[in-house]
């Protein structure tokens, strides 16, 4: 019986760490929060909503990280018995 | 530090706040269910989402957030926006291991991070090394909080109250309420402290940017007069940005006091709710102090070179002198700063005493003693630790201030054992040991040689990469040995 429940738990994904695509999205969002894609020749920076454009882009990316995390916690972290 | 116009009302307000902390400690003592380790160090593993959220929040945001971060924003300019991302990365790292660790902790009655390592690897050597890394790192962290208490009290009172009084008074308040109520007292006082912090941040935002147009004016001034602070950062800064996100994310997630809060959650649902709100906190905390530092750039341009850590105290002094409303806001922010320091110090002290009492004394001198004896020893240890660290904090010549820089570097080296073991089933202590030792030696050697960063990457991150590399290769070799005897 323990073996069966262990197999069932492995097949039923209950934690974010078991979804590879979630971590790819995180890598993408953290990469977007760092302004490597803004050409340094663009200095002095354009100002949008009172902030340099690259700062605003970084803030949008980190806000997306927060929203995505809340989504992942509620959708992919299931309150079920674990494999141990 | 310049004089702050402290008046009697402000002192009474802060005194009332400190008395409230002691009262909460006393109430927490009356609420105790037993003298067990679980009840004293983990509040009976019964923290609801609201208390858990505020205690996580108040513990994670220390005095450094309110004093050091505005200073960094003032010094670096807009690139310090990286602080929001690296504070969020801690919560993202929790998602890797917290779900399973919390269930394991409940099932197997973990009290300290060492309990998890013992359960997973059954290697006293690995647990000892990891515990030593954790203890050295957080003892330095506690010392830094004590010194911050002294500097805040003496600086903001304009020298009226001496440095030693700040250290001794606040340390005494913390040790009394903590010994009375353990984690329950710490978590409850953290709630008040967390709320004070949030009120302080709101006050800061109103004080710094009374109108939306003000931010635009500040940015335009910086672009015109100090363009290097508004430009797209060069590659060297971008590399440090990546390094900081990884290092703070990994190290911040395995702070013993944070791990113990995962253990102390009432159930999975409370932990889920707390973490999903915690991830938004940098947007209402780190972002605000970042803006304070940015606002300081044009504001203090006439002062020439000022030390970055003086930005916040100087701002507070100016606000307090403006109008009665601003004076009240400044007092709220100051109380928020004191709350941030105390809430971090109490949690670190509790964690430190639990590790020393359970993982060191509980396995040696008190091996066959009942839990009540270990709990009592832990309380006594809290006093001993506090007295020693207060003594060090009062002796500037023997301070370990430089070592506090090593906090994240050391913690990161314990991360593979703490985190990877949760989901990497075949990971063996024989693979972890050489990696942990090599990573620690590299990180400490680089930091001691004055090379805190190499090519923009932190010594702790380089140590962690070596640590992981050795661990993965050793495990691959062990797997091969098992297949081909």
């Amino acid at each position: 019986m323990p073996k069966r429940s262990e197999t069932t738990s492995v097949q039923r994904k209950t934690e974010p760490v078991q979804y590879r695509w979630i971590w790819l999205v995180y890598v993408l969002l953290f990469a977007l929060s760092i302004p490597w894609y803004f050409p340094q020749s663009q200095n002095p920076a354009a100002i949008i909503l009172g902030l340099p454009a690259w700062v605003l882009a970084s803030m949008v990316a980190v806000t997306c990280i927060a929203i995505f995390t809340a989504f992942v916690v509620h959708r992919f972290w299931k309150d079920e018995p674990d494999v141990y | 530090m310049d004089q702050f116009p402290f008046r009697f009302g402000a002192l009474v307000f802060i005194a009332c706040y400190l008395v409230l902390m002691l009262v909460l400690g006393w109430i927490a003592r009356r609420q105790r269910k037993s003298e067990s380790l679980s009840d004293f160090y983990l509040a009976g593993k019964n923290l609801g989402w609201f208390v858990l959220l505020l205690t996580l929040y108040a513990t994670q945001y220390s005095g450094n957030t309110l004093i050091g971060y505005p200073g960094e924003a003032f010094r670096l300019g807009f690139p310090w926006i990286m602080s929001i991302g690296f504070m969020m990365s801690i919560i993202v790292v929790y998602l890797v291991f917290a779900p399973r660790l919390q269930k394991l902790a409940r099932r197997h009655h973990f009290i300290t991070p060492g309990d998890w390592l013992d359960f997973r690897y059954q290697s006293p050597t690995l647990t000892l090394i990891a515990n030593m890394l954790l203890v050295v790192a957080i003892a330095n962290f506690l010392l830094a909080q004590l010194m911050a208490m002294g500097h805040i009290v003496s600086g903001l009172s304009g020298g009226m109250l001496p440095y030693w009084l700040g250290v001794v008074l606040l340390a005494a308040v913390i040790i009394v309420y903590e010994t009375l109520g353990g984690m329950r007292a710490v978590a409850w006082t953290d709630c008040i402290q967390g709320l004070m912090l949030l009120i302080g941040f709101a006050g800061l935002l109103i004080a710094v940017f009374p109108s939306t147009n003000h931010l635009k004016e500040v940015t335009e001034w910086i672009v015109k007069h100090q363009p290097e602070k508004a430009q797209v950062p060069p590659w060297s800064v971008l590399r440090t940005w990546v390094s900081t996100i990884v290092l703070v994310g990994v190290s911040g997630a395995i702070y013993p006091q944070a791990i113990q809060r995962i253990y102390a959650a009432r159930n999975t649902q409370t932990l889920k709710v707390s973490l999903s709100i915690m991830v938004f906190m940098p947007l209402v905390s780190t972002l605000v102090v970042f803006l304070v530092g940015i606002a300081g750039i044009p504001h203090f341009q006439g002062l020439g070179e000022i030390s970055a850590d003086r930005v916040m105290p100087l701002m507070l002094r100016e606000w307090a002198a403006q109008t009665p409303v601003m004076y009240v806001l400044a007092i709220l922010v100051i109380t928020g700063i004191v709350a941030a320091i105390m809430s971090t110090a109490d949690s670190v002290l509790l964690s430190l005493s639990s590790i020393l009492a359970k993982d060191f004394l509980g396995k040696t001198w008190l091996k066959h003693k009942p839990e009540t004896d270990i709990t009592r020893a832990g309380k006594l240890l809290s006093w001993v630790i506090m007295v020693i660290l207060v003594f060090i904090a009062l002796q500037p010549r023997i301070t370990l201030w430089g070592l506090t820089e090593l906090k994240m570097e050391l913690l990161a080296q314990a991360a593979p054992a703490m985190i990877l073991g949760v989901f990497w089933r075949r990971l063996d202590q024989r693979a972890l040991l050489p990696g942990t030792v090599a990573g620690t030696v590299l990180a400490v050697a680089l930091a001691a040689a004055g090379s805190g960063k190499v090519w923009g990457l932190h010594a702790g991150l380089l140590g962690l990469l070596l640590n992981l590399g050795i661990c993965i290769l050793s495990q691959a070799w062990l797997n091969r040995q098992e297949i081909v005897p």
Side-chain angles (χ1 to χ4, degrees):
Chain A
M1 282 305 283
K3 277 194 173 174
R4 189 180 159 195
S5 71
E6 188 170 314
T7 316
T8 313
S9 297
V10 170
Q11 284 168 350
R12 284 175 60 86
K13 294 180 177 177
T14 58
E15 299 162 21
V17 75
Q18 294 167 307
Y19 296 85
R20 198 169 291 174
W21 67 268
I22 287 177
W23 303 99
L24 290 174
V25 172
Y26 272 126
V27 169
L28 179 73
L29 290 175
F30 274 109
L32 288 174
S33 76
I34 303 167
W36 55 272
Y37 47 89
F38 275 84
Q40 297 194 357
S41 57
Q42 213 182 59
N43 293 326
I47 297 172
I48 302 171
L49 295 175
L51 290 166
W54 62 269
V55 176
L56 195 66
S58 180
M59 283 179 58
V60 170
V62 291
T63 306
C64 289
I65 291 172
I67 295 169
F68 180 65
T69 302
F71 166 71
V72 167
V73 166
H74 287 288
R75 179 76 179 76
F76 298 101
W77 179 351
K78 300 195 176 91
D79 189 4
E80 289 177 15
D82 72 324
V83 294
Y84 278 85
Chain B
M1 205 174 282
D2 293 25
Q3 269 209 332
F4 176 76
F6 245 139
R7 290 200 291 266
F8 185 68
L11 287 174
V12 169
F13 183 78
I14 292 175
C16 287
Y17 164 77
L18 294 178
V19 170
L20 176 64
M21 298 296 104
L22 293 172
V23 171
L24 280 175
W26 180 72
I27 296 173
R29 179 170 175 77
R30 291 177 64 89
Q31 291 288 316
R32 75 187 188 281
K33 308 278 188 299
S34 67
E35 285 292 332
S36 68
L37 288 166
S38 171
D39 198 73
F40 187 74
Y41 286 117
L42 302 179
K45 297 190 178 179
N46 197 28
L47 294 185
W49 73 267
F50 185 72
V51 176
L52 187 64
L53 167 68
L54 286 174
T55 186
L56 273 169
Y57 173 62
T59 302
Q60 195 169 83
Y61 290 79
S62 66
N64 190 35
T65 317
L66 277 150
I67 299 290
Y69 285 18
E72 283 298 308
F74 174 79
R75 192 175 63 81
L76 273 180
F78 284 102
W80 189 245
I81 192 77
M82 73 172 81
S83 56
I84 301 176
F86 71 63
M87 291 305 279
M88 274 185 194
S89 67
I90 297 172
I91 309 298
V92 174
V93 175
Y94 279 145
L95 289 193
V96 176
F97 71 102
R100 198 167 301 184
L101 184 61
Q102 193 241 353
K103 287 175 187 166
L104 288 168
R106 294 198 78 77
R107 190 170 303 172
H108 301 285
H109 313 291
F110 298 160
I111 304 289
T112 63
D115 287 341
W116 154 237
L117 296 176
D118 274 343
F119 169 81
R120 174 62 180 79
Y121 304 105
Q122 286 148 16
S123 163
T125 314
L126 181 66
T127 306
L128 180 69
I129 291 175
N131 266 337
M132 282 167 64
L133 288 171
L134 299 180
V135 165
V136 173
I138 64 172
N140 281 323
F141 195 27
L142 179 54
L143 178 62
Q145 302 306 309
L146 293 179
M147 293 173 75
M149 288 175 187
H151 287 304
I152 285 295
V153 168
S154 120
L156 290 176
S157 66
M160 192 174 84
L161 302 174
Y163 168 87
W164 70 265
L165 186 68
V167 175
V168 173
L169 177 70
L170 296 185
V173 172
I174 288 173
I175 190 71
V176 168
Y177 73 67
E178 181 177 307
T179 317
L180 283 172
M183 170 68 104
R184 202 168 277 112
V186 168
W188 289 357
T189 52
D190 280 356
C191 279
I192 303 292
Q193 288 156 345
L195 289 172
M196 290 305 307
L197 252 175
L198 280 173
I199 293 168
F201 282 128
L204 272 176
L205 195 61
I206 296 165
V208 179
F209 292 106
S211 72
T212 47
N213 224 20
H214 192 63
L215 176 62
K216 192 176 172 216
E217 287 166 13
V218 166
T219 304
E220 283 172 346
W221 188 95
I222 297 171
V223 169
K224 190 174 175 190
H225 297 93
Q226 296 188 23
E228 72 284 358
K229 290 184 177 175
Q231 288 172 353
V232 177
W235 281 101
S236 58
V237 174
L238 296 181
R239 283 195 295 271
T240 302
W241 194 322
V242 176
S243 174
T244 313
I245 287 175
V246 178
L247 187 67
V248 174
V250 168
S251 309
I254 64 152
Y255 270 131
Q257 63 270 27
I259 297 279
Q260 288 182 305
R261 275 153 182 74
I262 293 174
Y263 295 174
R266 182 180 294 157
N267 52 41
T268 305
Q269 190 58 27
T270 56
L271 187 60
K272 282 170 64 176
V273 174
S274 301
L275 291 184
S276 56
I277 299 175
M278 259 298 277
V279 77
F280 287 92
M281 288 307 192
L283 293 171
V284 294
S285 310
T286 324
L287 177 61
V288 174
V289 288
F290 161 77
L291 292 173
V292 171
I294 292 295
I297 296 173
H299 196 76
F300 296 121
Q301 44 108 8
L303 293 178
E305 281 296 312
I306 64 164
S307 145
D309 284 353
R310 289 178 61 209
V311 173
M312 180 66 93
L314 282 172
M315 286 272 196
L316 289 171
R317 191 195 67 152
E318 287 193 13
W319 295 335
Q322 284 172 9
T323 61
V325 175
M326 292 300 277
Y327 178 78
V328 171
L329 271 181
I331 297 301
L332 288 176
V333 175
I334 290 166
T335 319
I337 294 173
V338 174
I341 297 171
M342 288 178 72
S343 59
T344 304
D346 62 13
S347 308
V348 173
L349 178 67
L350 192 70
S351 221
L352 201 52
S353 90
S354 72
I355 294 173
L356 294 176
K358 185 167 189 305
D359 292 352
F360 288 95
L361 291 183
K363 288 177 181 172
T364 51
W365 292 321
L366 301 176
K367 195 169 184 178
H368 301 294
K369 298 282 182 186
E371 275 200 13
T372 47
D373 285 8
I374 303 177
T375 307
R376 218 168 288 139
K379 290 180 186 179
L380 187 65
L381 270 173
S382 290
W383 283 83
V384 173
I385 295 164
M386 199 55 128
V387 168
I388 292 173
L389 290 182
V390 163
F391 178 75
I392 296 173
L394 294 179
Q395 307 289 324
R397 272 181 297 178
I398 56 166
T399 60
L400 303 174
W401 188 251
L403 278 179
T404 60
E405 295 290 317
L406 278 174
K407 171 170 57 90
M408 291 290 180
E409 269 72 5
L410 291 176
L411 280 171
Q413 309 317 318
M418 291 295 302
I419 298 173
L420 293 183
V422 173
F423 54 88
W424 186 356
R425 288 168 171 275
R426 298 195 72 171
L427 183 60
D428 193 285
Q429 51 95 10
R430 288 171 293 171
L432 278 164
L433 269 172
T436 307
V437 172
T440 306
V441 169
L442 178 66
V444 173
L446 283 175
S451 311
K453 289 194 197 89
V454 178
W455 201 59
L457 305 177
H458 293 86
L461 181 70
L462 296 170
L464 178 62
L465 291 174
L466 177 69
N467 186 341
L468 280 174
I470 291 175
C471 175
I472 291 166
L473 288 175
S474 305
Q475 187 60 48
W477 184 76
L478 286 170
N479 292 348
R480 197 179 158 80
Q481 292 292 102
E482 282 172 20
I483 295 166
V484 187

